[in-house]
Amino acid sequence: MAKRLSETVEINHRQKGFLAATPGCNENIVILENIIKGAKHNHKDLAVVFVDLVKAFDSVGHKLLIKSLQRVKLPKDFVSLIKDLYTGNTTVVEGNGNLTTSINIERDVKQGDPLSPILFNIALDPLVYSLERANSGVSMPQAAEESTA
């Protein structure tokens, strides 16, 4: 399912995280080196911001996840399946032999689930596009293989 979903949904080409066939870290280092060289060559000021999404998978609310799947126009049956997997989950914590009352789980994508990386990227995509629309970053030409994909 994860492979089919990855082939069906187009993720912004700037997203490098959690994608199996993407050398994200290495590619981002090369991009950063080129931006720095370009700024130096053109005598331009440069500020760089790194966004580290701490506990990234834990940050996705389930309502956002479902809306994101609907936004990319996935079939209703698939969205319903994901909704069923993520709705109504609870957990309890044990301490000193006692259990807490039930705790509703309303955010996260499941650790270790092959669907989680693509679900996370689908949920993150609107943020990436809105940053592009803000047009305050550095414009980089797409690589040849990205522009033909």
Side-chain angles (χ1 to χ4, degrees):
M1 263 175 53
K3 184 177 186 296
R4 288 178 64 191
L5 184 58
S6 295
E7 292 168 352
T8 303
V9 177
E10 188 174 323
I11 297 295
N12 187 297
H13 69 277
R14 285 178 168 53
Q15 283 208 59
K16 306 295 182 203
F18 312 113
L19 300 174
T22 302
C25 191
N26 292 336
E27 187 174 330
N28 285 338
I29 290 170
V30 170
I31 290 170
L32 180 59
E33 286 176 342
N34 287 329
I35 290 170
I36 292 169
K37 286 177 186 175
K40 284 182 179 180
H41 177 75
N42 295 313
H43 305 288
K44 298 271 187 177
D45 290 335
L46 176 66
V48 177
V49 176
F50 291 93
V51 178
D52 182 9
L53 298 172
V54 177
K55 298 178 81 175
F57 279 14
D58 294 344
S59 66
V60 179
H62 295 163
K63 290 179 182 175
L64 171 67
L65 178 61
I66 300 307
K67 285 182 180 181
S68 297
L69 297 175
Q70 293 167 337
R71 178 186 51 79
V72 295
K73 297 181 177 33
L74 287 168
K76 288 181 183 179
D77 287 343
F78 180 82
V79 175
S80 291
L81 173 69
I82 298 300
K83 189 173 184 177
D84 288 346
L85 288 171
Y86 281 90
T87 302
N89 295 318
T90 60
T91 190
V92 293
V93 178
E94 180 180 356
N96 295 329
N98 297 318
L99 297 177
T100 64
T101 57
S102 230
I103 302 166
N104 291 328
I105 301 172
E106 297 177 352
R107 59 184 334 103
D108 79 355
V109 289
K110 300 171 186 303
Q111 299 289 328
D113 183 339
L115 276 174
S116 292
I118 187 67
L119 292 176
F120 177 82
N121 285 349
I122 290 169
L124 188 65
D125 230 29
L127 172 63
V128 176
Y129 279 110
S130 73
L131 291 171
E132 278 185 338
R133 283 191 303 274
N135 202 24
S136 59
V138 175
S139 294
M140 297 287 295
Q142 283 182 251
E145 63 274 6
E146 289 177 340
S147 61
T148 59

